[in-house]
Amino acid sequence: QEKVQQSPESLIVPEGAMVSLNCSFSDSASQSIWWYQQHPGKGPKALISIFSNGNKKEGRLTVYLNRASLHVSLHIKDSQPSDSAVYLCAVNDNNNAPRFGAGTKLSVKP
Amino acid sequence: EAAVTQSPRNKVAVTGGKVTLSCNQTNNHNNMYWYRQDTGHGLRLIHYSYGAGSTEKGDIPDGYKASRPSQENFSLILELATPSQTSVYFCASGAAGEDTQYFGPGTRLLVL
């Protein structure tokens, strides 16, 4: 069973700051890793994924994956108050049944 | 965008009662999932399905049953509800061979 751990649990930053979120997983043979965003009272929404070692950039988001160290990170450039949400890391196993971390609660203050 | 709906949105049940949570998706996705979300635990996988008639156990299946009568519908059944099953339940769907999940809005269940 895949174990997924996220850090920090919560983060408060000023508007415009760079945000870095971390996720570690237990199975190096895992498939893709996804980041989801969840606003209060809503279901999670997929943001960005990565499969291969290295980085991937989409707009203000950049994700880095290092399979050797079982670590993935999400970086949000020029953070906005609308980015305030819980960010969930999800790791897919070979059965395509994703396992989620507990999440990081991000607050971006104007 | 994929549409996943859940009903009811809120439910109060009594201990020992039967509860059925329903999920419907209109995007012809093969895969469907049920999760519960509790503070400090994130989303935990209860049951999932690869298509009509199939159900698979996730990580915390005890006390829950699942039913997938059609491509569109996936139900979660609590035969004998307990207070420990008080939680927010999310349904999700995804296309076969793709790993993006589309989530419903959630059902908030309170078992007294």
Side-chain angles (χ1 to χ4, degrees):
Chain A
Q1 174 183 333
E2 183 74 66
K3 303 289 186 185
V4 182
Q5 293 192 315
Q6 293 185 238
S7 64
E9 287 187 12
S10 63
L11 189 60
I12 301 173
V13 301
E15 183 175 354
M18 170 73 85
V19 172
S20 296
L21 309 177
N22 298 296
C23 175
S24 61
F25 52 97
S26 59
D27 184 0
S28 61
S30 60
Q31 301 301 306
S32 60
I33 293 99
W34 276 89
W35 286 92
Y36 286 77
Q37 180 190 58
Q38 185 178 24
H39 285 107
K42 306 289 187 182
K45 182 178 180 181
L47 281 180
I48 188 170
S49 69
I50 191 165
F51 177 80
S52 301
N53 269 334
N55 65 77
K56 179 180 178 181
K57 183 178 180 182
E58 290 184 0
R60 294 187 295 116
L61 305 179
T62 303
V63 59
Y64 294 90
L65 172 61
N66 184 326
R67 287 195 180 275
S69 62
L70 303 176
H71 184 265
V72 61
S73 59
L74 173 67
H75 303 265
I76 305 174
K77 180 182 177 182
D78 188 25
S79 57
Q80 302 296 309
S82 58
D83 294 329
S84 297
V86 173
Y87 290 80
L88 299 165
C89 174
V91 180
N92 278 312
D93 64 10
N94 289 324
N95 294 318
N96 213 25
R99 267 65 174 186
F100 286 77
T104 293
K105 183 177 181 180
L106 172 66
S107 296
V108 182
K109 299 300 185 184
Chain B
E1 186 167 311
V4 180
T5 57
Q6 294 182 232
S7 63
R9 293 294 313 279
N10 294 280
K11 173 75 177 179
V12 179
V14 296
T15 297
K18 182 177 180 179
V19 177
T20 300
L21 307 182
S22 300
C23 178
N24 176 273
Q25 54 99 0
T26 58
N27 293 281
N28 201 32
H29 286 165
N30 285 341
N31 300 340
M32 296 187 74
Y33 309 82
W34 276 107
Y35 293 88
R36 62 178 285 177
Q37 187 173 38
D38 305 284
T39 303
H41 289 281
L43 286 161
R44 290 184 288 175
L45 184 63
I46 306 171
H47 285 286
Y48 57 105
S49 167
Y50 293 125
S54 92
T55 60
E56 307 288 337
K57 293 181 179 180
D59 298 329
I60 54 166
D62 292 346
Y64 301 94
K65 291 184 180 179
S67 174
R68 183 86 182 270
S70 66
Q71 181 82 334
E72 297 79 20
N73 296 296
F74 191 36
S75 297
L76 186 68
I77 303 148
L78 291 65
E79 294 278 2
L80 295 170
T82 69
S84 65
Q85 293 175 313
T86 292
S87 187
V88 180
Y89 291 85
F90 287 98
C91 175
S93 73
E98 298 181 14
D99 51 17
T100 311
Q101 286 186 308
Y102 298 88
F103 282 82
T107 292
R108 190 172 296 273
L109 174 65
L110 174 63
V111 183
L112 300 174

